[in-house]
Amino acid sequence: MTNQVLSAQSSVLSRFAAWGLLISSFVIPHSSFAAKPLLLPEVLASVQTQYPPYLAALIEQDIANGRVRQAQGAFDLNLNAGGTMNLAGYYDGRTGYAMLEQPLPFWGGSVYGGYRLSSGFLPNYNKERTGVDGEGVLGFRIPLLRDGTIDRRRASLWQAQIDQELADPIILRQYLDFIRAATISYYTWVASGQRLALAEELLRIAKDRDSAIAEQVKKGASAPIVQTDNQRLVVSREIAAVLALRRFQATAIELSLFFRTHEKAEPIIAERNRVPKAFPPHPRIDESQLTADIAKAAVFRPEIRRIELLVQKVEIDRKLAKNNMLPNLDVGVEAGQFFGGNRPRDIEQNEVEAKIEFKLPLQRRDAKGRIDIADATIERLNNDKRFARDRISADVRDAYSALIAAYDALKMTRKNVELARQLETAENERLKQGATDLLALQIREQATFDAQVLEVEAQADYFRAQANYRAAIAADAPSKLTR
């Protein structure tokens, strides 16, 4: 009966192992540095250069640059050409012109120049009337009130330039989240690897003892039921080891999203022999550092900068709306030089014309509505900014509290491991002296294993809490975000 049970358990274990091999085949295994422990900086370097979501976030800079170039298009040099022809009536004249116009990036004006030619019979008052050889034209237009200090073209350009700056805090927020996620995934992988090693060590102890018990059964020193009980324990621990292996494989697959090849950015399955033997040192943060870190977070966290830039964009909308409350008062000067000597008698060789135009929308409800919208939006953003400061302070304090709790819990788990080992050693000695039974020793071994697992998880919790704290204070913010 016992052999049948063992055979069934072995079949189950074989299926678990095959499943694990199948899972590991989904992502490329990494064997180039099999003997070298995988450390966190190597994973983070992969995130900074190969992680697709981060590379996608950096494209936000290219989009912002494209918007600036698009807005600069409003100041492109323009070619204007056209003409008129009298198809019926007393006059049969024809006119044509070709002009280059350059909008100016200041004071909303423009300069223009070109050539104009007319032919046929045109009335004397027609300003487009020229001689046989045509007329060269040069002029400029300047708004004195509305569209002087700001207009839609310049507002769009300035806002696009702010969008360039706005891309950085958007990318930085994602970068900090990616670094935190990669760090948490890494330490979860380390913890699962160490937990697998503990499960296998516990299994080895049971297997080694099984050989000794078999010898005692042969000599008649132990009952066969004792060996059966230990064989049950071996199978139970084999199942636990398989489950621990599956957990390790799952964390390795999760880590592969961040850990990638340098050439093609393909996911790498970190092999088991790359799991570090121990976690890094874990210092306790001094409480006096908390105030400085809160101040640091208020400077380096991207949320505040993002809101400040949004306020600047709305301020431009507000200035543009106030500009639209003004009347149009445009002035210009146009000079013409007629070519050749064959020109009408009433036209001088050189002529200069001054122009002025006044226009006032009487109700201006569109501009007033835009001002109201801008004022309300700025007030909302200022409230968001105040709350963002409070949110950042709360994030840092909460992350600090979690980090201190993880540190204290880690100290207690180490004491727990020490006590569990003492009890296991004592129980082992009692078994050798015949003062206890195998069941009591199994309980002590399991208690030691549980205490060691708690210690491993406590160490992982500490470094996960540290990752959250570093993200809360933007400790990993780069000086410049580049591809």
Side-chain angles (χ1 to χ4, degrees), residues 200-216:
E200 291 178 341
E201 175 62 18
L202 191 65
L203 173 60
R204 184 196 62 79
I205 292 173
K207 286 183 174 180
D208 291 347
R209 187 168 51 232
D210 191 65
S211 299
I213 293 176
E215 289 295 326
Q216 292 178 356

Side-chain angles (χ1 to χ4, degrees), residues 360-392:
L360 174 65
L362 296 179
Q363 292 179 296
R364 295 170 287 181
R365 288 178 294 183
D366 178 78
K368 292 177 182 178
R370 291 180 181 274
I371 292 175
D372 293 339
I373 293 172
D375 288 339
T377 303
I378 291 173
E379 183 179 2
R380 186 194 67 191
L381 289 172
N382 286 332
N383 285 327
D384 290 344
K385 183 178 178 181
R386 284 192 293 270
F387 182 75
R389 292 186 182 277
D390 296 338
R391 179 75 268 174
I392 289 172

Side-chain angles (χ1 to χ4, degrees), residues 437-452:
D437 56 14
L438 182 59
L439 178 60
L441 179 59
Q442 292 174 4
I443 293 174
R444 295 301 184 192
E445 288 175 349
Q446 187 64 40
T448 301
F449 171 77
D450 291 342
Q452 290 173 323

